[in-house]
Amino acid sequence: MLSAPCASRFLIFATQMTTPGIINLGILSHVDAGKTTTSEHIFFLGGTVAAVGDVNKGTTLTDSMEVERRRGVSVRSAYDRLLWEGQRINLIDTPGHADFSAEVERALQILDGAILVISAVEGLQAHTFALWHALKSRDIPVIFFINKTDRAGANFEKVLQQIQSELGVAVAPLTVPVGQGEDAVMIKSVFDEKQPTAEGFRKLTLENLADYDNDILEIYLAEKSLEESVVHHHLQRQVTARTLFPVLAGAAKWGHGIAELLDAVVRFIPPTIDTATTLSAIVFKVEFDNTLGHLAHVRLFDGSLRVRDKVWNHTRQLEEKVAQIKRRVNGRLIDETFLSCGDIGIVSGFAQARIGDILGDDHAVPATAQVMQPVLTVQVLPNDPAQFAALAAALTQLNREDPRLALKWYKTEHELHVQLMGKIQMEILAETLLSQYGLQVQFGAPSIIYKETPAVSAYGFANYTMPKPCWAVVKFLVEPALAGSGITYTSIVSVDKIRQKYQNEIAGIIAKSLEQGIRGWEVTDVKITLVGGEDHEMHSRPGDFIIATPMALMDALTKSDTKLLEPVFDFTITAAESLLGKVASDLHQMRAIFDSPTFSGETFSMHGTVPAATSTDYAARLASLSGGLGQLRLSLRGYQACPPGEGVSRSYKGVNPLNRSQWILHARGAFRADERRM
Ligand SMILES: Nc1nc2c(ncn2[C@@H]2O[C@H](COP(=O)(O)OP(=O)(O)OP(=O)(O)O)[C@@H](O)[C@H]2O)c(=O)[nH]1
Ligand SMILES: [Mg+2]
């Protein structure tokens, strides 16, 4: 029997066979596995490009940024459309370096299915696991593509085994490489009776399918022959249900195995159907174009969009009008009047829209999936101090395109800070600032992003009644809360004491007030209760409680004192047994906590937790220690208390609410400036 979600997915697919919708297909992998090369050949076969570009020459469709072309590495996700067997497909090529995981996360939210590319030489890499978990958490159907089967050292069978044992999934190999060496490798169907090497793989596919499908089991046990098309038909349900994963072989560089891969995509990945009821869409990318202005890339999950439609931005609670709709067709932007359900398009006119905004309502928009989170923060400085304003403007624009940069502009200190995943992202940021904005920059020393939490419970008080006209009195109880609980806020003060409109001001400013605590980091895992205070019928003015609340909260944090929290990773290390002693001693020095190792063949593997502060460069150290054979997988577990003596406090940036007179002057000035602007 099919489970309910599986059955309904299948029905959706069956309807689509007559009226094909659109498949939004992502291509994901660890760095350098051949995503862009594979995409280029797909675009060629699908009629998008007239000639196949080469990443090494900087001539591919999806690596279009100058820095991507120069370095031959993808930095941003890029997409275009193609047609295969009458099926429309939007293909989204994503970057493979872990530093650009935010791009992959944004792509994951718009996918109907994914190709996960793995190199036949390098096999599963640390980042493959992170991608796999993200795909799993979003229930996205996946087709594996084992690429580079032409290269010396390629081992299709070994990688197939790795997928089964390390990702713990049932596979259905559909093609195999035959022959070896550049241009000599051929990709054949496992149903090709003339290929003796195909037989074992065919058996694996049939056995795995029979495990989930009684019809196939009966035919298989009766030793009757099974048509390839029958197998495909039955496999369809298992792929959408994510119980079985097709695996195909290829050598993208030579265009081998690409047509078979596309066949599998249209066979197994159900397109979004055009129910076209009410609009439910997401902004997954924003761009600033010199002639077209602010562009929002949208993916429609339900409903449709027309030029001049007034569209409700559910996230920002405002309405904006569609000025123009464009679609990427064959590498160019084409004007459209209409965007149908399931499709991706570019809208101008949404000046307020930001990445992640939901348009219409959220009934069909899937949840986000996280791949990685930045743990480093760094100051960016212009080489020429006179270019500070230009740098601030450039970073503001880049921050719109990639909000994960979390740009902080500390105006009093004249400092610009961004959050980063790692060194490669830092290099690319510097190159982008130079090539796109003509700005030469340097970076301060990167720091781990710490957080802080109250050490004990304490009350905080603020009495903002001078200089008149003003009146806001507040008293909070600030208490430590469970790790990972974030900020919770409640009020037990009646609206007779502080009117609702002022209580709303207080609730609205709590999170902002906690962006920096007494050690200079974001305050978290804290319970805040408004326990007392008053407004004044005559003297209280809008904004007074916005000034008083941060003063009272900082007062409470000073009294409670705070503890530093540090980011901690879950880790898995695998390496040769001979390195066990060295690795274990490194781990001790890194303040890691770990289980006893397990052994398999000549390698060991070890799991545990390790602080980010000691481990962000260990993957590279392990690689050089092990001649590239050791592997370190990290995934953020959360924040934990720093042991005494560890962690770094920093000074408060901007005007500190504890400095009462300066704070009041500054905050009042800011309001006046806001009023003038209004
Ligand atoms: N021999 C061989 N080389 C390949 C194959 N596919 C890709 N390459 C090479 O591998 C390198 C990386 O290819 P890309 O297509 O840029 O890989 P990618 O996965 O897009 O890389 P990132 O986007 O930077 O993660 C290039 O030098 C390609 O020419 C293949 O099938 N065989
Ligand atoms: Mg690429």
Side-chain angles (χ1 to χ4, degrees), residues 288 380 382 386-401 405 407-409 411 415-416 418 429 433 436-437 439 441:
F288 190 83
V380 194
Q387 288 190 318
F388 183 84
L391 177 60
L395 283 173
T396 304
Q397 194 171 316
L398 290 175
N399 191 63
R400 289 232 175 111
E401 293 173 5
L405 285 175
L407 172 68
K408 287 271 179 338
W409 180 353
K411 300 211 164 101
E415 285 180 17
L416 295 158
V418 293
L429 179 62
L433 285 166
Q436 280 185 26
Y437 302 92
L439 293 165
V441 298

Side-chain angles (χ1 to χ4, degrees), residues 101-214:
S101 296
E103 286 290 310
V104 185
E105 281 168 22
R106 290 191 278 270
L108 276 170
Q109 213 179 358
I110 64 169
L111 300 185
D112 297 305
I115 298 170
L116 190 56
V117 186
I118 298 171
S119 160
V121 183
E122 282 87 15
L124 296 189
Q125 298 288 293
H127 193 51
T128 320
F129 291 87
L131 295 170
W132 172 253
H133 287 298
L135 287 163
K136 194 169 160 187
S137 74
R138 262 229 46 220
D139 261 348
I140 296 174
V142 172
I143 295 174
F144 287 94
F145 185 58
I146 302 182
N147 188 34
K148 303 197 180 185
T149 52
D150 60 303
R151 269 184 49 190
N155 192 334
F156 176 80
E157 192 168 355
K158 189 171 157 204
V159 177
L160 188 70
Q161 267 164 11
Q162 261 193 331
I163 295 172
Q164 296 173 88
S165 61
E166 297 192 30
L167 301 182
V169 297
V171 292
L174 298 178
T175 58
V176 281
V178 177
Q180 264 188 339
E182 294 201 349
D183 217 6
V185 72
M186 286 178 296
I187 305 301
K188 297 285 179 190
S189 164
V190 296
F191 292 91
D192 187 337
E193 305 276 351
K194 292 195 289 292
Q195 301 299 328
T197 48
E199 194 184 327
F201 297 110
R202 179 170 66 241
K203 200 158 167 264
L204 181 62
T205 294
L206 295 178
E207 281 174 2
N208 281 345
L209 184 55
D211 273 349
Y212 294 98
D213 191 314
N214 285 336

Side-chain angles (χ1 to χ4, degrees), residues 32-37 56 73-74 96 147-148 150-151 251-253:
D32 246 19
K35 296 170 294 296
T36 302
T37 307
N56 304 310
V73 57
S74 305
N147 188 34
K148 303 197 180 185
D150 60 303
R151 269 184 49 190
K253 188 171 182 175

